[in-house]
Amino acid sequence: MKLFDDIPVERPATPLLDTLETPAALRAMDDAQLAQVADELRAYLLYSVGVSGGHFGAGLGVVELTVALHHALETPHDRLVWDVGHQAYPHKILTGRREAMTRIRQYGGLAAFPRRAESQYDTFGVGHSSTSISAALGMALAARTQAEPRRVCAVIGDGALTAGMAFEALAHAGHVDANLLVVLNDNEMSISENVGGIASYLARILASKPYTTMREGGKRVLSHLPGALELARRTEEHMKGMVSPATLFEEMGFNYIGPIDGHDLPALVHTLRNMRDMEGPQFLHVKTRKGRGFLPAEADPIGYHAITKLEKNGDTPPPLKPTAPAPKKAPKYCNVFGDWLCDMAAADTRLIGITPAMREGSDLIRFSQEYPERYYDVAIAEQHAVTLAAGMACEAMKPVVAIYSTFLQRGYDQLIHDVAVQELDVTFAIDRAGLVGEDGPTHHGALDLSYLRCVPGLVVLAPADEAECRAMLSAAYQHPGPAAVRYPRGTGPGVAIPDHLEPLVIGQAETRRRAGGGGPRVALLAFGSLNGPAAEVAQALDATHLNMRSIKPLDREAVMAAADDHDLLVTLEENVVAGGAGSGVNELLAAEGRRVSVLNLGLPDAFVEHGKPAELLVECGLDADGIEAAIRARLTAA
């Protein structure tokens, strides 16, 4: 295996890889050629991600596994399902998208994750964790129903295997005895340390045709001897259990093989060739290393989970002169939350911080270090995170659940039935609300105002800036019931952040500008992040600008006053229009019997593609120019 210290700044020579337009050519290659493809694939992956930016370490870790899978399986006839998709870049390179990789995650370019509309080799669209086994099982059962001789393989990481959905699928697969291969890509969690010569030898023996033939043939012979079959089964189980973690998966109905070295390409090819033809549920456990082949990523797999693209021509920016102080980075909204959480924890010993595997993303690093006894990372288990918080709230604790908008969707039933129905005091810090950018529709927080606003008794707040975010978190925390603060990814407008923990008043809007005299009077009712463009539009149109702050409860008096004194109300939100904050304004006006023209502007009734947030806001008409044009069009039509 070729090792790299630096990311190539020029396209590397990949003569063998360049001949592969589809994976079919891999199946005619010998071990030496496959090894060359793997080296070239790793080099090209490093180069392309350096150009485009994107997910990094996971793909480097599965180069050999990806080559082996496409060599052993007759893709796309055989179905290959990747979990989450962070590790699917090598798969995309091998399946006809090599030269398009330099624009992955960019506006109009390849999607960040496998996507059915992009390639016939992307058998299932992903982006959220732990769905692969369920989807692959569905495909396997469909093939059985259709009498189609098709193999189906799901590749899932050890992190994704922490989710309950994955175990639900494993249990069902064993129950229905499906022809399904599950490959566990174990690159971090210590499921087993049995990697090396003995374990690899055992895996080869367990996967070999002579062994499987002897095992099944022996069982048929022993079935005629009372008690002998059960004795043989138990002996095999205990022998395998001594050297590998087979028992758990075999109790669920799988034939477990492994763990084997996921970077030993010949061993992978040999094992997968044999397992491809086995009947019933099969489980292959491979040990890999995140960032494999790129030494800095091997040393820091978390830091190299994803990278930004290199500067033009691959050059890094020149260092600052020694006398020049490094510019202070503007705090992101997640940093505002992280600092607030530590400050509030110092003030209130009842505070508990909970996250479903988003410590770095939600900026809980300092909290986890300063308050380890009050910090709970529950792994990829959003449902459990919410109900865990509910249980703590039952015992007079004050849990704060830090979670992305798109991932809270997975814990929605628990939010309703375990928290809201019982009126429990749980605070939800909802990060990545609105358009998050290059990860696309699976990660946009486009729906949370709609699915939260309809939950009885739940307070929902959205800050216009960093200072409001801190004050809203304090308000939500002090509210004696369920409350949520949703804030966007990245930085805000740069408002100074106070040190105190004073809350703002829930349900009270802020008037930022009042309309002038002549012409149709317009009031902009802006929620959260769209207060920025609202200020520009209000100035251009001489309109009123209200920072609404609270989605639920709405400031009734502010809405009624705006309806009485303006010809057109315009609601602005970075959420789908259907059921969102604007719908709440419409409902209030209807309930009060007020007749006034209303224009609801927000995200469209469609899944917004990937790209930089600024590009996507323009596409959705939610930048200042788009908002102004929509208002002028309405005024002209009136």
Side-chain angles (χ1 to χ4, degrees), residues 83 128-131 133 156-170 189 378-384 410:
D83 206 283
H128 285 194
S129 168
S130 314
T131 62
I133 304 176
I156 187 168
D158 54 290
L161 199 64
T162 62
M165 181 178 180
F167 280 92
E168 291 170 12
L170 287 170
M189 192 168 67
V378 302
I380 302 173
E382 294 87 356
Q383 295 171 315
H384 170 59
R410 311 185 89 179

Side-chain angles (χ1 to χ4, degrees), residues 23 53 87 138 158 191 199 203 225 234 294 306 331 367 372 390 439 476 498 500 510 554 568 586 636:
Q87 75 279 51
D158 54 290
I191 293 176
L225 303 177
R234 292 178 61 185
F294 182 61
F367 180 82
D439 283 345
H500 61 72
E510 173 197 27
L554 282 169
L568 174 65
N586 299 345
T636 300

Side-chain angles (χ1 to χ4, degrees), residues 207-247:
S208 68
K209 291 182 180 179
Y211 173 83
T212 54
T213 301
M214 180 182 68
R215 183 182 65 178
E216 298 305 320
K219 287 180 179 178
R220 285 194 294 271
V221 172
L222 292 173
S223 65
H224 301 293
L225 303 177
L229 183 61
E230 176 62 16
L231 176 62
R233 186 194 68 78
R234 292 178 61 185
T235 300
E236 178 189 24
E237 177 181 301
H238 288 303
M239 288 186 66
K240 291 169 73 175
M242 286 190 292
V243 291
S244 68
T247 306

Side-chain angles (χ1 to χ4, degrees), residues 340 344 348 351 398 400 425 427 473-479:
W340 169 85
M344 186 59 79
D348 189 346
L351 185 148
K398 295 273 288 180
V400 178
D425 189 357
T427 300
L473 288 165
S474 294
Y477 184 80
Q478 294 181 20
H479 174 71

Side-chain angles (χ1 to χ4, degrees), residues 291-590:
R292 181 65 168 167
F294 182 61
L295 299 180
E298 289 191 37
D300 182 15
I302 294 177
Y304 280 91
H305 171 72
I307 64 170
T308 57
K309 66 180 181 179
L310 301 181
E311 294 296 309
K312 191 174 182 180
N313 299 323
D315 297 329
T316 56
L320 295 171
K321 295 180 180 179
T323 55
K328 186 178 180 181
K329 290 184 178 180
K332 300 177 181 179
Y333 278 102
C334 64
N335 305 140
V336 175
F337 164 72
D339 290 339
W340 169 85
L341 190 67
C342 290
D343 293 344
M344 186 59 79
D348 189 346
T349 59
R350 298 172 298 165
L351 185 148
I352 300 289
I354 300 171
T355 179
M358 289 289 113
R359 185 184 73 156
E360 285 75 22
S362 296
D363 196 19
L364 286 162
I365 298 174
R366 183 161 74 93
F367 180 82
S368 69
Q369 295 167 345
E370 294 183 8
Y371 300 96
E373 73 285 355
R374 290 196 264 163
Y375 167 72
Y376 295 93
D377 184 339
V378 302
I380 302 173
E382 294 87 356
Q383 295 171 315
H384 170 59
V386 176
T387 303
L388 176 71
M392 290 179 172
C394 287
E395 302 302 323
M397 302 305 289
K398 295 273 288 180
V400 178
V401 179
I403 191 168
Y404 290 7
S405 169
T406 185
F407 297 146
L408 182 57
Q409 294 164 187
R410 311 185 89 179
Y412 188 51
D413 180 71
Q414 288 69 28
L415 184 150
I416 296 170
H417 289 280
D418 297 339
V419 176
V421 167
Q422 303 185 90
E423 300 179 349
L424 293 174
D425 189 357
V426 177
T427 300
F428 293 92
I430 304 175
D431 196 356
R432 269 60 167 184
L435 298 173
V436 300
E438 291 87 346
D439 283 345
T442 59
H443 284 61
H444 292 321
L447 309 175
D448 56 78
L449 293 185
S450 300
Y451 72 69
L452 293 174
R453 197 176 66 79
C454 62
V455 178
L458 178 65
V459 167
V460 185
L461 308 173
D465 55 52
E466 301 90 335
E468 277 196 354
C469 185
R470 184 175 174 95
M472 284 182 181
L473 288 165
S474 294
Y477 184 80
Q478 294 181 20
H479 174 71
V485 180
R486 59 102 72 169
Y487 45 90
R489 182 183 186 182
T491 57
V495 172
I497 306 168
D499 294 329
H500 61 72
L501 294 169
E502 293 299 317
L504 53 70
V505 178
I506 293 173
Q508 186 175 96
E510 173 197 27
T511 301
R512 293 198 164 184
R513 190 185 190 281
R514 294 190 182 278
R521 292 175 59 81
V522 177
L524 306 180
L525 281 61
F527 295 86
S529 58
L530 290 191
N531 274 281
E536 296 182 46
V537 175
Q539 185 69 32
L541 298 179
D542 192 16
T544 293
H545 173 198
L546 296 179
N547 169 20
M548 294 302 296
R549 290 178 168 168
S550 181
I551 293 88
K552 187 176 185 180
L554 282 169
D555 186 336
R556 178 190 173 281
E557 291 185 5
V559 174
M560 291 299 102
D564 290 340
D565 198 34
H566 295 82
D567 303 298
L568 174 65
L569 304 187
V570 182
T571 65
L572 301 170
E573 60 190 303
E574 200 170 333
N575 186 85
V576 294
V577 171
S583 294
V585 172
N586 299 345
E587 292 160 11
L588 176 59
L589 293 170

